[in-house]
Amino acid sequence: MQLTLAISHLFLAAVLLVTPPLSLAEDALSKRALDEQRRVNSLHLHAQLLCSGVFVSGRLAEDVIRDDLQWRGYTFHDWSHTAWTIATERETVTLTNTEGSASTEALAIHNPGHGCTLPVRDAPRRPRQSTLAAVERPLLNQPLPDHTSAAISAWLDRVFKSTADGESDAGAQNTRAVIVLQGGRIVAERYATGFGPTVPMLGWSMGKSVAAALLGVFAKETPGFDIDEAAPISRWSTHGDKRSAITTRHLLNMASGLQFANPGKGDPLYYTDAHQHESVYFRPQDTRELVLQAPLVDRPGAVFAYRNTNTLSLMALIRQGNESTRQNHNVWPYDRLFRPLGAESFVLEQDHSGNFVISGFVYATARDWARLGQLFLDEGKVEGQSLWPANWTETVTMPSAAAPFYGGQVWLNTQRSFQSVPTDAYYFLGWLDQIVLVVPSMRLVIVRLGFSDQGGFREYFDPLLKSLLQILKD
């Protein structure tokens, strides 16, 4: 029944795209059907986020619902008609909504080590990932230098509080964590109430930069791997498949030319089943199948299109490579990247088919996000060990032909998006303004995590960066 409903919804979306205007009665019926899709999809996303907030981040369910899950930007169900149940022994979250003619239920299940998943009916739990001894790197455990602590403390006050002169409205930005590394040492760190150095936080699209790091590790392990050759995805290599022209660099640069619908707010199909770009977060589905079926609509390399299909295709490439060499894809990122880095808190959430939904569902502590930024700054080296090829950082921070402000799953400051920061800076960027900013010329890594749902983040953050850089220069 559930599969039939999903198919009918997709068919309805396709009909809306190709049929002439409907009668008022038919149009109202179609709007109700699409609104129902949005309600169901919203319920699924919120079940996933609540599950992760409780079982991955260790937060109270009430806090997650109050502070994270009632933003109108992605909430299309009424919480006053929604009951929630946390089953701590089974580690599941269930949301039940009674707005429609029949109640709607969404389930998310926690798989230890892998985060939360929207399962299909009767899906088994995934096995725990392999466990190795945690490696705590000393570089992030140094005390603050005495000669800067007073100035930095005052700066952190500005980060977390509104200023009297109105220079920034910090309160509205809901900053939850800030950490600054200079030369690999902590020079500033603070957390909002309810958060701290051991709380993994959602990075949203910063996960795309995690994918770039993992691809670098994969490149080092794979003899003959060349990002300027056809992406080694078997599904695209059949005779006559135009997608065989897509190189790995095209995927890195968000310039593959693959079609992946991303209707904006106000579009009738926004947040419906036809919204492919976002559906990887709110539909129980095999995301690898979804992206590998995407057709080619633009010449590869010609058009920048920020789509999850590019990132998830890179992960499909890595999974195919792992499976061909009989490596455990579930634990490979942890064994090859996070443990050598000492970033034990990273959790890459998966769909029910075991594909990492790395384009958005990645959790880590602020310190571990900083460790990843430091790895880029150190060109892939950790205590003398190179995790990726010598030129990999340069490769992913090189402006692409399709967009000079974007590299390989990494944003660039070439056009001074942050006016107060040097143009050699680059950054990981996630929804609601999660950011890891790397400034090579100053040996800086700046991490900010939060929930900026009211806009104005650049106007808030850029003056803070300006004052921080001045403090560090002085």
Side-chain angles (χ1 to χ4, degrees), residues 84-96:
W84 50 273
T85 303
I86 311 289
T88 53
E89 290 186 2
R90 291 183 291 131
E91 296 183 312
T92 62
V93 168
T94 305
L95 298 184
T96 305

Side-chain angles (χ1 to χ4, degrees), residues 11 36 76 95 131 177 182 216 220 252 283 319 397 407 411:
F11 174 76
E36 176 65 11
F76 297 93
L95 298 184
T131 55
Q182 186 175 41
K220 186 173 186 291
L252 276 167
R283 291 196 64 205
R319 180 171 184 174
T397 58
W411 295 89

Side-chain angles (χ1 to χ4, degrees), residues 177-180 206 366 369-370 435-437 445-449 461:
V178 164
I179 183 168
V180 180
M206 291 204 301
W369 283 114
I435 189 168
V436 175
L437 178 68
V445 176
I446 304 166
V447 177
R448 183 270 181 188
L449 304 172
F461 201 54

Side-chain angles (χ1 to χ4, degrees), residues 78-133:
D78 187 344
W79 274 102
S80 67
H81 292 276
T82 304
W84 50 273
T85 303
I86 311 289
T88 53
E89 290 186 2
R90 291 183 291 131
E91 296 183 312
T92 62
V93 168
T94 305
L95 298 184
T96 305
N97 181 271
T98 57
E99 288 176 74
S101 56
S103 65
T104 302
E105 187 174 277
L107 172 69
I109 183 170
H110 179 237
N111 296 291
H114 299 293
C116 292
T117 300
L118 297 174
V120 294
R121 186 181 297 275
D122 301 324
R125 283 185 180 271
R126 306 196 65 79
R128 289 178 182 266
Q129 64 188 44
S130 66
T131 55
L132 297 175

Side-chain angles (χ1 to χ4, degrees), residues 204-218:
W204 285 113
S205 284
M206 291 204 301
K208 295 176 171 67
S209 301
V210 179
L214 288 171
L215 188 67
V217 175
F218 180 81

Side-chain angles (χ1 to χ4, degrees), residues 90-257:
R90 291 183 291 131
E91 296 183 312
T92 62
V93 168
T94 305
L95 298 184
T96 305
N97 181 271
T98 57
E99 288 176 74
S101 56
S103 65
T104 302
E105 187 174 277
L107 172 69
I109 183 170
H110 179 237
N111 296 291
H114 299 293
C116 292
T117 300
L118 297 174
V120 294
R121 186 181 297 275
D122 301 324
R125 283 185 180 271
R126 306 196 65 79
R128 289 178 182 266
Q129 64 188 44
S130 66
T131 55
L132 297 175
V135 180
E136 177 64 25
R137 302 297 181 195
L139 76 118
L140 293 181
N141 294 321
Q142 305 295 330
L144 300 182
D146 291 339
H147 67 281
T148 61
S149 58
I152 289 294
S153 180
W155 179 79
L156 287 168
D157 289 343
R158 292 181 55 202
V159 171
F160 284 87
K161 297 177 182 178
S162 300
T163 59
D165 60 7
E167 183 178 348
S168 67
D169 186 4
Q173 296 302 320
N174 295 311
T175 293
R176 294 172 173 176
V178 164
I179 183 168
V180 180
L181 307 185
Q182 186 175 41
R185 296 171 62 94
I186 294 177
V187 297
E189 184 178 25
R190 187 175 292 181
Y191 299 89
T193 302
F195 298 88
T198 63
V199 176
M201 292 179 238
L202 180 58
W204 285 113
S205 284
M206 291 204 301
K208 295 176 171 67
S209 301
V210 179
L214 288 171
L215 188 67
V217 175
F218 180 81
K220 186 173 186 291
E221 292 184 356
T222 308
F225 182 75
D226 187 341
I227 66 169
D228 289 311
E229 292 183 354
I233 295 176
S234 58
R235 186 76 64 85
W236 299 347
S237 62
T238 57
H239 179 71
D241 193 323
K242 295 180 180 179
R243 296 174 298 181
S244 63
I246 300 171
T247 68
T248 304
R249 189 186 295 273
H250 293 148
L251 293 170
L252 276 167
N253 293 161
M254 293 284 183
S256 64

Side-chain angles (χ1 to χ4, degrees), residues 243 257-260 276 291-298:
R243 296 174 298 181
L258 292 170
Q259 184 182 57
F260 212 57
Q276 293 172 303
V291 301
L292 294 187
Q293 291 173 6
L296 193 69
V297 292
D298 292 308

Side-chain angles (χ1 to χ4, degrees), residues 373-396:
Q374 186 69 38
L375 182 68
F376 276 75
L377 186 59
D378 292 337
E379 299 183 347
K381 294 184 178 67
V382 180
E383 297 183 348
Q385 177 187 3
S386 294
L387 300 188
W388 58 52
N391 64 343
W392 188 252
T393 299
E394 179 183 356
T395 296
V396 298

